[in-house]
Amino acid sequence: MSDTQTGRPRGRRQEADRNDARLMQAAREVFAELGWDAPVSEIARRAGIGMGSLYRRYPSKELLAQRMRIVGMEQLVAQARTALAEEPDPWSAFARFLRDALSDQGAGSGPLLPLVGGRLPATDEIVAAAGQLRAALDDLVDGAHRAGVLRADFTSADVPLLLEHLTARIPVTDERATTLHLRYLDLILAGLRTSTTDGPTALQSPAPDWAELSELWNASEG
């Protein structure tokens, strides 16, 4: 049976997909280490891809970074949907999603918001991906709220910023950084889960909202 009949990508498409995955990982690592002014040539070098191939796929650093944002959101959506489908209860789904998001992000890459937040516009594709992410996180958080296991003042808009905090770069090996990130996640989960006795301590500051997140991420149109 041919690739066309099975729906599988042909050899060139498979190679392009592999190159794209390497580019995304290399870009996160390079931006995390060198900041927004990092040379694109260093990203290509670490990905093992020629500059010509990189520029054919992403003619500018901005387009590469926009794709990084979309890939990151798509990954979180898939992880949220998998957790909801496979876990037996809302708390397990919520906790699994956060653990999967931390484990799969790549300990050496660091968070994206400090690197590209406010630099890039919200394109139609970005807005669509953000809408899908919000819907998936709403389902996770709303389910945990309905079950009475997650403190009521924690919102779905808290999740992206919580992940940004939990993926801070730590100058140790990637494996050790991941274990530390997961340790601090466990401490945070203990504070987020409702208590059967006195209940959680009240938070002193209001939650973010999705409009505020959009302002953090996207360049203003003025």
Side-chain angles (χ1 to χ4, degrees), residues 55-94:
Y55 278 127
R56 280 193 296 273
R57 184 74 174 92
Y58 302 106
S60 70
K61 183 189 295 187
E62 288 76 11
L63 288 174
L64 175 61
Q66 290 285 48
R67 181 59 186 162
M68 289 171 62
R69 297 169 73 191
I70 292 168
V71 168
M73 287 188 282
E74 289 175 343
Q75 178 175 311
L76 291 175
V77 169
Q79 290 165 333
R81 295 302 179 197
T82 297
L84 285 164
E86 296 184 357
E87 292 301 320
D89 62 79
W91 179 257
S92 296
F94 177 73

Side-chain angles (χ1 to χ4, degrees), residues 62-213:
E62 288 76 11
L63 288 174
L64 175 61
Q66 290 285 48
R67 181 59 186 162
M68 289 171 62
R69 297 169 73 191
I70 292 168
V71 168
M73 287 188 282
E74 289 175 343
Q75 178 175 311
L76 291 175
V77 169
Q79 290 165 333
R81 295 302 179 197
T82 297
L84 285 164
E86 296 184 357
E87 292 301 320
D89 62 79
W91 179 257
S92 296
F94 177 73
R96 172 177 169 174
F97 162 74
L98 291 173
R99 290 194 177 97
D100 287 351
L102 287 185
S103 298
D104 294 345
Q105 185 148 326
S109 58
L112 268 181
L113 183 59
L115 303 176
V116 301
R119 293 182 178 274
L120 304 168
T123 64
D124 289 345
E125 194 173 6
I126 290 290
V127 171
Q132 292 174 358
L133 177 59
R134 177 177 182 173
L137 297 183
D138 280 347
D139 287 345
L140 272 174
V141 171
D142 290 349
H145 281 158
R146 287 193 299 271
V149 294
L150 177 64
R151 56 186 304 153
D153 52 3
F154 184 87
T155 76
S156 64
D158 280 309
V159 175
L161 291 182
L162 175 62
L163 289 172
E164 289 286 332
H165 286 297
L166 285 169
T167 51
R169 297 192 75 237
I170 305 173
V172 293
T173 64
D174 285 359
E175 182 178 359
R176 178 57 178 150
T178 297
T179 61
L180 287 171
H181 289 155
L182 292 172
R183 168 184 168 81
Y184 298 125
L185 173 60
D186 286 340
L187 291 170
I188 287 170
L189 287 172
L192 288 175
R193 188 159 192 173
T194 55
S195 171
T196 58
T197 55
D198 298 330
T201 302
L203 298 177
Q204 298 302 307
S205 301
D209 57 40
W210 286 91
E212 186 177 9
L213 291 185

Side-chain angles (χ1 to χ4, degrees), residues 10-30:
R10 293 183 182 276
R12 288 185 180 178
R13 174 63 182 279
Q14 290 175 326
E15 181 179 1
D17 288 346
R18 288 193 294 268
N19 287 347
D20 207 53
R22 291 201 299 271
L23 271 174
M24 293 300 106
Q25 182 60 32
R28 287 191 68 108
E29 293 174 357
V30 171

